[in-house]
Amino acid sequence: MSFLTKRSNEKRVSALANKLKKGRILRFMEAHNAISGLIVDDIKINVVKNGKRRFLEFDGFWESSFTDSASKGLPDIEIVGIESRLHTINQIMEGTKKPMIVDGDTGGDPSRFEYMVKKFEAAGVSMVIIEDKVFPKRNSLETGTRQELEDPVLFAEKIRRGQLTKRKKDFMIMARLESLIAGLGLKDALERAKIYLEAGADGIMIHSKKDDPDDILEFAAEFKKFPKQLIENKMLCCVPTTYNTITERELAEAGFNIVIYANHMLRASYLAMQKACREILKSGRSFEIDPYCAPVKEIFNRVGFLDVKEKDKEMAEKFSSKIKVLIPAAGKDELAKKYQRSRALIEINGKSILERQIKALRNVGLNNFVIVKGYNGELFRMENVNYCENKEYETKHILSSLFCAQDHMNSPFIFLYSDILFNENIIRDLLRISQNKSIGDIVLVVDSSFHQHKNRIDRDLDLIVTKNKTQDSIRRVINSVDEKVSFIGEKIDKSSADYEFIGIAYFSENGAKILKDTYFDVVVKYSNNRFHEAENIHKANFTDIIQEIINRGYEVNVLKTHKGWMEIENEDDLKLAETIYKDA
Ligand code: SPV
Ligand code: MG
C-alpha cells in the first residue's frame, strides 16, 4: 500500500550512494507530484539485448524546480520556496522507494542553503544540486533570458557551509555549472568546476541548452584530465533535454555517472491532458478519449484505495461474524397452509425464500443463523444453521417464536422476517451503521418509498411514525441519527405514517438486553390481556414489543432504504418474485 509504505528517511538518504557503487550510469526521471513519483517508482520494461533479458527502470527521482513551479502554475524563478518544495518532496517520498535528487536552484545565501541541506536530508533526499547563479535565478532553457552567474568563490563557500551542515556522509551536494548557459564558455566552466570540487562538492553537473552534446562531451573529456585526487569518487552529471539524441550509453562512455530527464513527466502529461480536453469538447462525450485514459481502478489500486476497501471488508466481516441472524419461521398462515410448509420454505424458481435470504446474508459476511421452526418443522433441512422450535405455533406467534431463540440473544443480532426478499446492500448498510455506536442499540430498517404506493396497498403494513423527521431529498439510503420511532404497528393510519417497517432490525448487545428485559417484564402480565395491537402477548407481533420498548423511554432508530425488498404474502407476490428472482 502506497501511503502506508514503511521506510526510514535516514536509510533512504544512502540509497543513491549505494547505487553509485554499482559503477553504471544512473538515470533519474523528473517527478513533480506524488502520482508522477509513483509512476517513476513503478515503471519497468523488459528488453532482450544480445540474447539476454534485462529489466530497465529509473534509478530515482529528479525533483525539478521547473516542473514543481509549473505544476503550481508558476515560472521557474525561485518563487516556490523551500517549505513548498519540501511539501512536494514529502508527497513524492511518501509512497515510493527510490532515491531522490533535488534541484536546489541557487540554494539562496549560505544560511538559507544550510537550512535546505538540513531539511532535505531529514526528508530522505540523497542529493541536492545547486547552480552557480545569483539568487533569484532564471530557468536555463529559455534563450535570451538574463543569466547572471555567482562569484565562484562565494558559491564555493556556500558548498562548504552545506557540507558542514549535513549529518550523513552519504547525503551529497553537487555543484551545477551554468557557464555554458550564460555563454561564458568551456574555460570558465572548467575553472569553476575546480573551485567547487576543492570546496568539497560531491560532483559536477554541467548544463547546456545546445541542440548537440558537443559542449558537454568536451567538458567531460577535460574533466577526466583533472588531477586524480580532485575527481576521485566525484560524479559527473548532465541533463540532455535539448541535445536529446545522445544515448545513455554514449554519455556513460564519455564519463557521465548520472543522467537526468528533467521535465518529461510534466511535459508528457500536459500534452495528454490537452488531448483529453480537446477530444471531449469535440465529441461532446468522453467515450473517444477512454483509450487514452488509465482505468480508474488502476489509479485506485496504485494509491492504496483498493487496499482500504479490502480492509473495510475484513473489518466488517470480523464484526459480522459476531452477529447472529434470528429468523422466526414457525407460523401457519394462509399461504403456508396452501403450500403445507412455512412461508420461508416456499420456493421461488427452485430456491426457497430462506435459502435466498441466507445466501444474501452470507454474501455480506454473516454466518451464524438461528431459525425458529414450527409448522411442518421437519421440512427444514438446511445445514450449517441452528434450529429452535416453537411447538405451540398455532397459539403462540412471531414474538413468542423469537423468544424460543432467547439463548442466542446474548450478543448483537439481526432480526429478520422469514417471508421477505431483500437486496444484500440493505444488510450491508445496516452492518455499516451498526458499527457506529452513536446510531443506537435498536435499529429498524424502514422503507421510505411507501408514501408513493400507499394508496394502492390493500394489505396490513407495519407502519411507523417518527419524530424529528428529516427531509428526504435524495433517493438512496440516508440515515439520520436523530430520527426516532415514536409509533409502530399495523393499525396506524396510512396517511399519518412516515415509513413502512420492512422486517429487518438490528439489536446491539445492549439492545438485545433491552428487548429481553422488556419481554420478561410483560410476558406474564399480558398472558391473557391485550398487549398493544395483539389479543395477548403470545399472539403479539414483533412490532408490539417495539412499541412497548419505545413507551418505556428507550430509543429506536431507523435506517431508511428506498425499495430493494419485497414481502411474500400471497400468490401475486410469488408470481412477481418469480419474474424478479430468475436464478434457480
Ligand atoms: C529543472 O528541471 O528545474 C532544471 C533543469 O533546473 S533545466 O530546466 O534544464 O534548467
Ligand atoms: Mg531547476
Coordinates of all heavy atoms in Angstrom, one line a residue, residues 23 168 183 191 204 215 311 400 451 466 479 533 558:
G23 N 28.6 1.3 -10.3 CA 29.5 1.7 -11.3 C 28.8 2.0 -12.7 O 29.5 2.4 -13.6
K168 N 24.9 13.1 7.4 CA 25.4 11.8 6.9 C 26.3 12.1 5.7 O 26.0 12.9 4.9 CB 24.2 11.0 6.3 CG 23.7 10.0 7.3 CD 22.7 9.1 6.6 CE 23.1 7.7 6.8 NZ 22.1 6.7 6.3
G183 N 26.8 31.6 -21.6 CA 27.6 31.9 -22.8 C 29.1 32.3 -22.4 O 29.8 33.0 -23.1
E191 N 37.3 26.1 -14.9 CA 37.8 26.8 -13.7 C 36.9 26.7 -12.5 O 37.3 26.5 -11.4 CB 38.1 28.3 -14.1 CG 39.3 28.6 -14.9 CD 39.4 30.0 -15.4 OE1 38.6 30.8 -15.0 OE2 40.2 30.2 -16.3
I204 N 29.9 17.3 -10.2 CA 29.6 18.4 -11.0 C 28.5 18.1 -12.0 O 28.5 17.0 -12.6 CB 30.9 18.8 -11.8 CG1 32.0 19.3 -10.9 CG2 30.6 19.8 -12.9 CD1 31.8 20.6 -10.2
D215 N 29.4 20.4 -26.5 CA 30.0 21.2 -25.4 C 30.2 20.3 -24.1 O 31.2 20.3 -23.4 CB 29.1 22.3 -25.0 CG 29.2 23.5 -25.9 OD1 30.1 23.4 -26.8 OD2 28.5 24.5 -25.7
K311 N -9.6 -3.8 3.5 CA -9.6 -3.8 5.0 C -10.9 -3.5 5.6 O -11.3 -4.0 6.6 CB -8.6 -2.7 5.4 CG -7.1 -3.1 5.3 CD -6.2 -2.1 5.9 CE -4.8 -2.5 5.8 NZ -3.9 -1.4 6.2
S400 N -43.4 -14.8 20.3 CA -43.1 -16.0 21.1 C -42.0 -16.8 20.3 O -41.1 -17.4 21.0 CB -44.3 -16.8 21.3 OG -45.3 -16.0 21.8
H451 N -44.8 5.9 0.8 CA -45.7 7.0 0.5 C -46.2 7.0 -0.9 O -47.3 7.3 -1.2 CB -45.0 8.4 0.8 CG -45.2 8.8 2.2 ND1 -46.4 9.0 2.7 CD2 -44.3 8.9 3.2 CE1 -46.3 9.3 4.0 NE2 -45.0 9.2 4.3
T466 N -42.4 8.6 13.0 CA -41.1 9.0 13.7 C -41.2 10.4 14.2 O -42.1 11.2 13.8 CB -39.9 9.0 12.7 OG1 -40.2 9.8 11.6 CG2 -39.6 7.6 12.2
N479 N -29.3 8.0 6.5 CA -29.7 7.7 7.8 C -29.5 8.9 8.7 O -28.5 9.6 8.7 CB -28.9 6.5 8.4 CG -29.7 5.9 9.5 OD1 -30.8 5.5 9.2 ND2 -29.2 6.0 10.7
E533 N -51.3 -4.0 20.0 CA -52.3 -4.3 19.0 C -52.7 -5.8 19.0 O -53.6 -6.2 18.3 CB -51.8 -4.0 17.6 CG -51.5 -2.5 17.3 CD -51.0 -2.2 15.9 OE1 -50.7 -3.2 15.2 OE2 -51.0 -1.0 15.6
V558 N -34.1 4.5 13.0 CA -34.4 3.9 11.7 C -33.3 4.0 10.7 O -32.4 4.9 10.8 CB -35.6 4.7 11.0 CG1 -36.9 4.5 11.9 CG2 -35.3 6.1 10.8

